[in-house]
Amino acid sequence: MEYYELLGLKREPFQTTADPYFFYRSQEHAEALQRLEISIRLRRGLNLILGDIGTGKTTMGEVLKQTLLREDKFILGTILDPSFKSEFQFLTNIVNLFGIDPPRRSTISYKNAVKNYLFQKGVEEDKTVVLLIDEGQKLTPTYLEVLRLFLNYQTPDFFLINIIILAQLDLLPKLKRRRSFMDRVAVTYMLNPLNREDTENMIRFRLNRAGLSGNKELFTKEAVDVIYEHTKGMPRKITTLCHDCLEELISKDKDVVTGDLVKEIIKRQVKIK
């Protein structure tokens, strides 16, 4: 039997994988998603979502992908990590993502093939092509220039490719040095850590999604206070600490996570580090 079943849950509530099922929509996350979806539907081009590690960028991207892929009009490609060794490798990944078959193996041929593909899909077939790039802070100036070139492909009414870049704040200085790239940004949104209320709501939301029944509480108010203070409202840190709390709850044969229990776990983690 899994540990969470002993707590009356049907699923693991605090996995750190980017599972849209457990995505908590704070006001900021909901607004960012809405603005992204509107921008993509209007085919406005370039969109940036920035935030520190663990603010929920990747999971939010997965939620948006689920929404878009419900409709045949969207063609979606995803780059999870743009750490390529060369411009040619970067272009190779893009043509493979969209099933493009360039006539020759060369940088120029690949760029022309992408251009032809975008015009065919966007103009002739009226499709919306979306490229989502995670870990965008790893984009080099060369790769940013390739993306800028693709954003040149447009009609008077819309862009032929819509790019979403999810990145840590390290990307911002790079972009500010490339005015021709920044001028094409339709949406820029900065994700901040959760506040105290959202921290509690996120914990409760994930427990409910995992099958917690009725009005049962597994975390006291004091426990949430300690969790918020220690994690500073960072979703990934909250998730990891809550997972450790529930495992500790089982091992100590307790019914509810208290502030003291959370402090004990934090002390132990500090000693290990």
Side-chain angles (χ1 to χ4, degrees):
M1 177 178 289
E2 299 288 352
Y3 88 91
Y4 53 81
E5 294 177 312
L6 297 172
L7 299 170
L9 303 174
K10 298 176 182 177
R11 297 180 61 171
E12 160 62 73
F14 296 115
Q15 286 184 341
T16 55
T17 54
D19 186 348
Y21 182 78
F22 285 105
F23 181 65
Y24 171 68
R25 295 177 185 240
S26 70
Q27 183 176 343
E28 276 197 0
H29 287 87
E31 182 180 346
L33 271 171
Q34 183 182 50
R35 290 181 61 186
L36 274 179
E37 186 175 344
I38 291 172
S39 178
I40 297 301
R41 290 187 181 280
L42 294 177
R43 296 195 267 188
R44 295 183 62 205
L46 179 61
N47 308 275
L48 302 176
I49 300 296
L50 303 172
D52 285 328
I53 297 172
T55 48
K57 301 183 297 297
T58 299
T59 311
M60 191 174 72
E62 291 298 318
V63 172
L64 181 64
K65 284 165 58 177
Q66 276 194 348
T67 300
L68 298 180
L69 290 175
R70 294 190 188 108
E71 302 177 36
D72 292 337
K73 70 174 292 182
F74 295 105
I75 300 172
L76 182 64
T78 302
I79 297 176
L80 296 177
D81 184 349
S83 298
F84 300 100
K85 294 181 179 179
S86 66
E87 179 184 15
F88 184 71
Q89 280 194 1
F90 184 58
L91 287 165
T92 299
N93 187 267
I94 291 173
V95 299
N96 289 340
L97 277 177
F98 293 108
I100 303 171
D101 187 18
R104 293 178 301 281
R105 283 180 53 83
S106 71
T107 297
I108 293 177
S109 177
Y110 278 26
K111 288 178 180 178
N112 287 334
V114 171
K115 178 181 179 180
N116 294 335
Y117 173 84
L118 294 177
F119 272 96
Q120 177 189 339
K121 295 301 178 181
V123 178
E124 297 175 14
E125 300 180 23
D126 195 28
K127 300 283 189 179
T128 300
V129 179
V130 182
L131 175 62
L132 189 151
I133 302 175
D134 204 353
E135 300 291 342
Q137 70 278 357
K138 298 180 181 180
L139 287 165
T140 67
T142 299
Y143 305 159
L144 290 173
E145 180 60 24
V146 170
L147 298 178
R148 188 198 64 80
L149 173 66
F150 293 162
L151 289 166
N152 285 337
Y153 306 148
Q154 53 187 284
T155 73
D157 300 315
F158 57 83
F159 286 85
L160 295 180
I161 188 168
N162 295 270
I163 300 171
I164 303 168
I165 300 177
L166 310 175
Q168 295 171 28
L169 302 180
D170 301 351
L171 179 65
L172 204 51
K174 295 182 185 179
L175 297 184
K176 287 181 177 179
R177 291 193 292 268
R178 307 186 70 81
R179 180 53 57 188
S180 61
F181 191 85
M182 285 296 288
D183 287 346
R184 288 165 167 76
V185 178
V187 170
T188 304
Y189 203 99
M190 188 85 67
L191 290 178
N192 295 302
L194 303 179
N195 59 29
R196 165 63 177 75
E197 180 181 1
D198 274 324
T199 297
E200 182 172 5
N201 289 340
M202 174 187 155
I203 293 170
R204 183 180 297 114
F205 170 81
R206 293 184 73 117
L207 287 170
N208 288 339
R209 294 290 273 176
L212 188 67
S213 58
N215 296 319
K216 184 177 179 182
E217 296 286 350
L218 288 179
F219 291 81
T220 66
K221 294 287 186 182
E222 292 75 16
V224 175
D225 287 339
V226 178
I227 291 169
Y228 174 67
E229 181 179 352
H230 180 70
T231 64
K232 309 301 182 187
M234 300 297 285
R236 186 184 300 170
K237 290 183 178 180
I238 295 168
T239 301
T240 300
L241 183 53
C242 286
H243 171 83
D244 293 342
C245 287
L246 291 189
E247 285 196 334
E248 189 78 0
L249 199 64
I250 295 298
S251 67
K252 290 185 177 298
D253 195 25
K254 302 286 187 180
D255 297 322
V256 64
V257 176
T258 63
D260 288 340
L261 187 143
V262 180
K263 290 176 183 176
E264 184 179 332
I265 293 172
I266 293 170
K267 280 184 181 179
R268 188 161 63 238
Q269 292 175 342
V270 169
K271 287 181 179 178
I272 293 174
K273 290 180 181 179

